[in-house]
Amino acid sequence: CRRALSNSLVEQTFNMAFSGFWCHEDICDGMIQSIQVKQVLYSGKSKFQAVHIADLNPLGKTLFMDGKMQSSEIDEFVYHESLVHPVMLAHPNPKSVFIGGGGEFATA
């Protein structure tokens, strides 16, 4: 039931880079997650999506793509280690690998 932030809310959220600001993300109907933004570190657009990096309290540096939280300093290892380690351990001699997806560049 996770939904993206509206474009106007994305721009409002990441154009206001001051201490104490709060980022609100709709999780599902009737539920919003609010996290304190310490500082917006980057806000821009790539050829493919809107990209924002913010320092959130208590998550640390956090990547947002098209207004959706992708991963943060505090929890990214949970996703990426469980994605990569089983496959790498199962391969007898992993010298080169294909990473399908990997849009946030944390796996490679």
Side-chain angles (χ1 to χ4, degrees):
C1 66
R2 189 175 176 134
R3 290 180 286 163
L5 294 169
S6 69
N7 285 338
S8 62
L9 186 54
V10 168
E11 295 308 314
Q12 176 186 355
T13 300
F14 292 101
N15 286 334
M16 301 179 79
F18 54 87
S19 179
F21 183 69
W22 290 81
C23 172
H24 307 286
E25 182 175 16
D26 289 337
I27 303 301
C28 61
D29 289 337
M31 183 177 183
I32 295 174
Q33 173 176 270
S34 297
I35 303 173
Q36 187 180 29
V37 177
K38 291 197 277 185
Q39 181 181 10
V40 175
L41 303 170
Y42 176 80
S43 185
K45 291 188 178 190
S46 75
K47 184 177 176 183
F48 304 102
Q49 67 245 338
V51 178
H52 306 283
I53 300 172
D55 190 0
L56 304 181
N57 189 23
L59 301 177
K61 293 179 184 91
T62 303
L63 173 67
F64 291 82
M65 290 171 33
D66 289 334
K68 298 177 199 167
M69 187 183 301
Q70 300 297 308
S71 64
S72 68
E73 266 183 308
I74 200 166
D75 69 357
E76 71 84 23
F77 73 93
V78 174
Y79 173 75
H80 293 99
E81 287 187 14
S82 65
L83 176 71
V84 174
H85 288 207
V87 176
M88 296 302 282
L89 292 171
H91 196 291
N93 191 16
K95 290 188 177 186
S96 74
V97 296
F98 169 77
I99 299 172
E104 64 184 58
F105 305 109
T107 301

